[in-house]
Amino acid sequence: MGGQPVTTPAARPEAAVPTTPDAVPPEMFTSASDILKRLQLSIGREVIGYDSVVRALADALLAEGHVLLEGVPGLAKTYLVRSFAGSLALSFRRIQFTPDMLPSDILGATVLNPKDRSFEFRPGPIFANVILADEINRAPPKVQSALLEAMQERQVTIEGQAHPLPRPFMVIATQNPIEQEGTYPLPEAELDRFLFRWILQYPTATDEVTILRTRGAVAEGPGPNVVTTEELERLRALPGQVFVGDDLFQYITQIVRGTREDPRILVGASPRASVHLLNAAKAAAVLDGRRYVIPDDARDFALPVLSHRIILRPEALTLSLQHGGFGRTAETVRTILEEVLGRVDVPR
């Protein structure tokens, strides 16, 4: 996902970026770009045609955000996430959400130890670096709300005791956009916790032929780690060293405020969306090997950052449903956001 490419101004030289005595050496940013290519190549051997999604997942990891993957069954969402976590040497847990789940099934519980008659905390599957919340909208609201503290504060509270989650911590949730029976739509408060909402498309004809040629037998497990723990820790420290000019702060602000001024949008994006878009842009600069943000960094991720944070007016929503159902609604949101982006002047 993303808007039309923006012509990057040439007059934004690397030398213009302020430096400090403790600034990160430029070669570390160059290596970040190499690591992304290594990651895409590794995952691309098993999951065909998802380089842009891998980049989005890497961006979210550096920005300390969560991702909502939306797509019909059979698009290899689970295998993609498992390969992503395995390539980064991160712990991974898949949680299949169902209507009969309880919060303790995810968070864990305090239980009685029969050996010494003491109570001890037994952590649930949420205690991993990468969590695949599969079909998250099948869980009842009480279970969905159990994720809010974990996603926002990176901890869970059981019987008044806070338990920190491992770092990095990232939730990648999936949902099926066409099957709504027996599901519980995610409330706006929970949707707002996701950095990206990424809609997966069907593969191209070329990619589908490649899938048929290479996937005669499904691999037993994820491939080898291609990014070490040390490299990952260095990567996660880089966004904080990225330079953002005043014109980029203004640009991001105008994009988000534009969603509140469009007459077809009932509820526009909140200031949290501005912060998330800034974090995504800084992470994008790192993955491109740059120490500074350019307009493309914000524009390319504006749609997946904002698409789940706006609510259309009833008349716009009704028109979308009349012309093709749920998929058409998503396309209408995309069109409106692209028009909002088109009205904002790009910094030069």
Side-chain angles (χ1 to χ4, degrees), residues 91 142 195 216 238-239 248 276 282 305 309 348:
S91 59
K142 181 179 292 187
L195 174 65
L238 294 181
L248 266 299
H276 280 191
K282 292 166 70 174
V305 168
R309 291 185 161 95
R348 299 296 179 185

Side-chain angles (χ1 to χ4, degrees), residues 158-213:
I158 306 294
E159 297 186 5
Q161 180 66 41
H163 302 274
L165 294 168
R167 304 296 292 267
F169 175 74
M170 180 181 185
V171 173
I172 306 176
T174 69
Q175 65 177 6
N176 183 344
I178 60 174
E179 188 178 5
Q180 301 302 310
E181 185 176 354
T183 63
Y184 303 84
L186 297 181
E188 282 71 21
E190 186 161 5
L191 283 173
D192 201 39
R193 297 307 198 274
F194 288 98
L195 174 65
F196 297 142
R197 174 198 179 204
W198 200 274
I199 299 179
L200 299 179
Q201 306 292 343
Y202 285 113
T204 64
T206 301
D207 286 339
E208 199 153 0
V209 169
T210 303
I211 291 171
L212 293 176
R213 286 174 174 167

Side-chain angles (χ1 to χ4, degrees), residues 23-338:
V24 175
E27 56 268 22
M28 289 189 64
F29 286 87
T30 304
S31 67
S33 178
D34 296 336
I35 289 174
L36 173 63
K37 294 175 183 177
R38 192 194 317 163
L39 189 62
Q40 289 175 322
L41 181 62
S42 173
I43 297 176
R45 292 192 183 102
E46 299 293 338
V47 188
I48 309 300
Y50 281 158
D51 279 357
S52 62
V53 188
V54 173
R55 177 184 172 84
L57 293 176
D59 187 283
L61 181 65
L62 297 190
E64 297 193 36
H66 311 288
V67 179
L68 176 61
L69 295 179
E70 200 168 280
V72 299
L75 294 182
K77 297 185 291 293
T78 298
Y79 195 59
L80 169 65
V81 178
R82 187 177 64 177
S83 298
F84 174 74
S87 297
L88 290 173
L90 296 176
S91 59
F92 168 68
R93 295 296 297 271
R94 176 179 180 268
I95 306 174
Q96 180 63 54
F97 282 68
T98 58
D100 60 346
M101 289 187 73
L102 298 173
S104 58
D105 295 331
I106 300 173
L107 306 181
T110 300
V111 298
L112 178 65
N113 188 333
K115 293 182 179 180
D116 56 9
R117 308 292 295 175
S118 64
F119 287 94
E120 62 181 27
F121 174 68
R122 291 186 180 177
I126 196 71
F127 286 83
N129 296 121
V130 179
I131 303 297
L132 173 58
D134 213 357
E135 296 186 296
I136 188 173
N137 57 334
R138 289 200 176 279
K142 181 179 292 187
V143 175
Q144 292 180 10
S145 64
L147 288 174
L148 290 177
E149 181 186 13
M151 295 172 67
Q152 184 67 27
E153 302 178 29
R154 269 67 177 179
Q155 68 174 27
V156 297
T157 303
I158 306 294
E159 297 186 5
Q161 180 66 41
H163 302 274
L165 294 168
R167 304 296 292 267
F169 175 74
M170 180 181 185
V171 173
I172 306 176
T174 69
Q175 65 177 6
N176 183 344
I178 60 174
E179 188 178 5
Q180 301 302 310
E181 185 176 354
T183 63
Y184 303 84
L186 297 181
E188 282 71 21
E190 186 161 5
L191 283 173
D192 201 39
R193 297 307 198 274
F194 288 98
L195 174 65
F196 297 142
R197 174 198 179 204
W198 200 274
I199 299 179
L200 299 179
Q201 306 292 343
Y202 285 113
T204 64
T206 301
D207 286 339
E208 199 153 0
V209 169
T210 303
I211 291 171
L212 293 176
R213 286 174 174 167
T214 59
R215 294 300 297 276
V218 179
E220 292 295 329
N225 306 145
V226 297
V227 181
T228 66
T229 303
E230 293 75 15
E231 287 176 320
L232 182 57
E233 287 302 312
R234 290 199 299 268
L235 274 179
R236 294 179 59 233
L238 294 181
Q241 301 291 329
V242 171
F243 172 74
V244 184
D246 289 339
D247 55 349
L248 266 299
F249 287 126
Q250 292 290 337
Y251 182 57
I252 291 173
T253 299
Q254 290 171 15
I255 289 175
V256 175
R257 292 184 67 85
T259 66
R260 306 170 199 164
E261 299 166 357
D262 192 287
R264 295 163 294 181
I265 298 177
L266 178 64
V267 178
S270 69
R272 178 183 286 150
S274 303
V275 175
H276 280 191
L277 184 53
L278 173 63
N279 292 340
K282 292 166 70 174
V286 171
L287 294 176
D288 279 346
R290 283 181 280 103
R291 296 187 299 149
Y292 55 94
V293 173
I294 61 175
D296 276 352
D297 297 327
R299 186 182 180 96
D300 288 348
F301 283 113
L303 266 65
V305 168
L306 299 175
S307 64
H308 56 294
R309 291 185 161 95
I310 66 171
I311 300 176
L312 298 182
R313 291 191 177 277
E315 53 269 27
L317 183 60
T318 301
L319 184 62
S320 299
L321 293 174
Q322 289 175 347
H323 288 80
F326 187 90
R328 182 58 183 171
T329 301
E331 185 61 30
T332 300
V333 170
R334 178 188 180 94
T335 299
I336 292 174
L337 288 176
E338 287 178 341

